[in-house]
Amino acid sequence: MSSIKTPKKIAAIGSQSSKTITILLDQSFFIFAGLASFWLAWLVFREGLATGGWWLVGLFFVVWAIVSYLALPRLHRILSNMYVPNYFIGRTRTADGILSDPINLSVRGSEDKLHKAMTAAGWVLADDITPRSAWKMVLTVLSGRSYPNAPVSPAFLFGRRQDFAYQQEVDGNPRRRHHVRFWRCPDGWLLPGGHRVDWLAAGSYDKSVGLSLFTFQLTHKIDEDIDIERDYIIESVKKSEKYIRVTVLKDFSTGYHSRNGFGDSIRTDGDLPILEVGRIKTDDNVTASTRLGVIMDGTIYDRHPRNHETLLEELWGRRPPQILIGGGLMILASLFTIGQMLVDFSSWPTTLVQVANIDGIDINAANTMLSMMAGFNVLLVVAEIVLVGLLLRGSSRARISLLSVAALAIVTESLSVTIGRINASIMLLLISIGVHIMIMMLFSSDAARYFTERR
């Protein structure tokens, strides 16, 4: 006897099918954006090489920026989603999904006691990554000025970035510093072997500033012997708080020689010390708060732990910067289209004659064709603005639609680029392609996807 599909079952099947299609489209756009960024780097290189002269002076820097900050990070994200295990293996990950620093420290105790222990030992709570703090970090690194609260790059564990990080600057130089990131363990979560801790941490020492081996981005370079930094953190805290005890899980992970997510060599014996801070006395009226910074392209591999659901709802309840920046870029692209239309209207008679001569048609037919094209562009601009508005309200369909528009723009504009001397028209096309690639990067990011899913 065949089962009867109720309206609820039919709706559930339809919803599941729609979700599957959305996932496939998301993955396709995610990959397309990465490939398009490599294509843009090739276009810039090709056009610059064909032109020669002064253009070659800035060519290297333009191509480097595109490859390092757009193409290679997205390529690593695509590849790491396929080969990096989706469970705890004692390693953090970069925002690009590459295995990064090892977990080399753990803590038992409450957050306020952990904050007190670190502060008493002379460690400084790092600032969150914001446009202002990031810019200040760049200026202080270049000038060598002190920045005791300088932000640290995001690393990911349990599918989220660190809850907070502490650091110690060396000789007032932001290029060299001790730093350690902390993650709160999920409720009920146990280490391999059944050990229970409240916090996991990854400590390392920044010895200089250089280029990442994997993405060629400017970043801090760490000292390879991270056990020295781990022991330094422990000793500094033990000296300042007499109530702290340390137990060690021997051979927690196999000692190995490897590299972190930025290509720096790392070496460890595999032991995992546990800082026992539960006996530290604190002021019950003062509780240190955990700050959560902006996740610019957070790699969320797993569902967040249950005890972080409230935090997750608070974070994604607000519009993430990927949505706001992407929406702003889309509106700018629409305004650019309007500007082009106004220029065309100002020279309408000349354009009519040119189109008529090229296509071999009369003036009336050329006028009709250009009017239809102008009308289509007007409708497209209106549709884009409406879709941006819907996206700001959390529409997943609007996000997919805008991704489709950006992909189509990249394809059509790429076909319009020809080999020859760089002129204003080619420059505008290359800039427009770059803007639409940025839009695709932002709207296909995890932050944008989770925002629309939860809304």
Side-chain angles (χ1 to χ4, degrees):
M1 182 177 179
S2 61
S3 59
I4 299 175
K5 293 183 179 179
T6 63
K8 288 185 178 181
K9 288 184 178 180
I10 295 174
I13 293 173
S15 176
Q16 186 62 37
S17 299
S18 177
K19 186 175 181 180
T20 301
I21 294 173
T22 299
I23 292 173
L24 290 175
L25 288 173
D26 259 320
Q27 292 174 345
S28 300
F29 287 130
F30 191 92
I31 295 172
F32 179 86
L35 297 176
S37 58
F38 278 105
W39 172 244
L40 175 61
W42 163 245
L43 285 178
V44 173
F45 179 79
R46 186 190 71 176
E47 296 301 320
L49 199 62
T51 301
W54 65 268
W55 174 253
L56 293 178
V57 176
L59 174 64
F60 169 78
F61 296 100
V62 174
V63 174
W64 165 75
I66 295 171
V67 172
S68 298
Y69 290 91
L70 291 179
L72 286 178
R74 182 53 61 101
L75 177 63
H76 286 304
R77 285 287 311 280
I78 294 170
L79 296 177
S80 62
N81 281 339
M82 294 188 289
Y83 67 77
V84 176
N86 196 23
Y87 50 83
F88 178 79
I89 57 174
R91 294 285 295 273
T92 62
R93 310 185 199 200
T94 68
D96 305 327
I98 309 172
L99 289 178
S100 193
D101 297 345
I103 295 298
N104 58 359
L105 186 64
S106 59
V107 181
R108 288 197 186 111
S110 63
E111 181 179 344
D112 56 334
K113 293 183 178 182
L114 174 56
H115 279 295
K116 183 174 181 181
M118 296 300 293
T119 303
W123 292 82
V124 180
L125 189 65
D127 287 342
D128 294 326
I129 294 182
T130 63
R132 176 178 293 181
S133 65
W135 178 244
K136 183 178 178 181
M137 180 65 177
V138 171
L139 293 179
T140 53
V141 167
L142 292 176
S143 63
R145 296 199 307 269
S146 175
Y147 186 3
N149 301 84
V152 300
S153 59
F156 293 82
L157 188 69
F158 304 126
R160 56 187 171 82
R161 60 160 288 173
Q162 69 266 12
D163 291 277
F164 51 84
Y166 276 89
Q167 66 175 13
Q168 284 183 347
E169 221 173 50
V170 177
D171 299 329
N173 187 344
R175 300 185 185 94
R176 293 185 294 151
R177 59 180 178 176
H178 305 275
H179 66 293
V180 55
R181 301 175 178 88
F182 290 92
W183 290 264
R184 185 191 298 275
C185 295
D187 187 30
W189 185 84
L190 300 176
L191 284 168
H195 303 280
R196 186 185 300 276
V197 294
D198 299 302
W199 303 85
L200 291 178
S204 58
Y205 175 70
D206 286 339
K207 62 181 181 179
S208 62
V209 173
L211 294 179
S212 166
L213 179 65
F214 297 146
T215 63
F216 307 115
Q217 295 177 5
L218 284 171
T219 183
H220 278 96
K221 312 293 287 183
I222 70 168
D223 186 85
E224 66 176 352
D225 197 340
I226 63 172
D227 292 345
I228 294 177
E229 183 68 8
R230 175 196 67 192
D231 297 339
Y232 171 78
I233 297 168
I234 294 171
E235 290 304 315
S236 68
V237 174
K238 285 177 64 179
K239 285 181 181 179
S240 63
E241 289 288 349
K242 62 180 180 179
Y243 294 107
I244 289 180
R245 298 291 182 268
V246 179
T247 57
V248 179
L249 300 180
K250 300 293 293 185
D251 299 320
F252 170 75
S253 61
T254 304
Y256 52 83
H257 296 261
S258 185
R259 294 184 182 273
N260 72 350
F262 300 101
D264 303 329
S265 296
I266 51 176
R267 183 173 65 246
T268 177
D269 56 18
D271 293 346
L272 182 69
I274 303 176
L275 281 175
E276 309 277 359
V277 300
R279 297 174 60 192
I280 294 178
K281 297 179 180 179
T282 59
D283 185 354
D284 295 334
N285 295 323
V286 179
T287 302
S289 61
T290 301
R291 299 176 300 165
L292 186 63
V294 177
I295 301 178
M296 287 307 299
D297 197 15
T299 306
I300 312 296
Y301 289 89
D302 309 312
R303 293 300 300 169
H304 285 44
R306 288 185 180 275
N307 65 320
H308 289 280
E309 285 299 317
T310 301
L311 189 62
L312 180 69
E313 290 174 2
E314 178 185 352
L315 177 64
W316 298 128
R318 301 191 302 269
R319 292 164 183 79
Q322 288 86 342
I323 295 292
L324 297 176
I325 296 173
L329 289 176
M330 182 59 77
I331 291 176
L332 284 177
S334 299
L335 294 176
F336 178 75
T337 301
I338 294 174
Q340 284 185 315
M341 291 168 55
L342 293 176
V343 171
D344 292 338
F345 281 129
S346 65
S347 58
W348 190 266
T350 304
T351 305
L352 282 177
V353 174
Q354 291 176 346
V355 171
N357 292 334
I358 293 173
D359 295 335
I361 57 179
D362 59 34
I363 294 296
N364 291 331
N367 185 62
T368 301
M369 184 174 67
L370 287 177
S371 298
M372 291 177 63
M373 291 176 61
F376 175 78
N377 285 332
V378 170
L379 291 176
L380 183 61
V381 167
V382 172
E384 288 174 351
I385 295 175
V386 171
L387 287 172
V388 169
L390 293 174
L391 176 59
L392 292 175
R393 299 185 62 181
S395 171
S396 182
R397 292 181 179 179
R399 183 177 62 86
I400 295 296
S401 299
L402 288 171
L403 282 168
S404 302
V405 170
L408 181 62
I410 292 170
V411 172
T412 55
E413 290 168 349
S414 296
L415 293 175
S416 300
V417 177
T418 58
I419 296 178
R421 294 191 59 83
I422 293 293
N423 53 41
S425 178
I426 297 296
M427 285 289 292
L428 289 175
L429 278 173
L430 293 176
I431 292 173
S432 182
I433 292 172
V435 168
H436 284 102
I437 289 175
M438 281 298 300
I439 290 170
M440 291 201 69
M441 290 280 187
L442 293 167
F443 286 165
S444 63
S445 66
D446 291 327
R449 180 161 54 87
Y450 280 128
F451 170 74
T452 54
E453 282 181 358
R454 293 186 65 83
R455 299 286 283 193

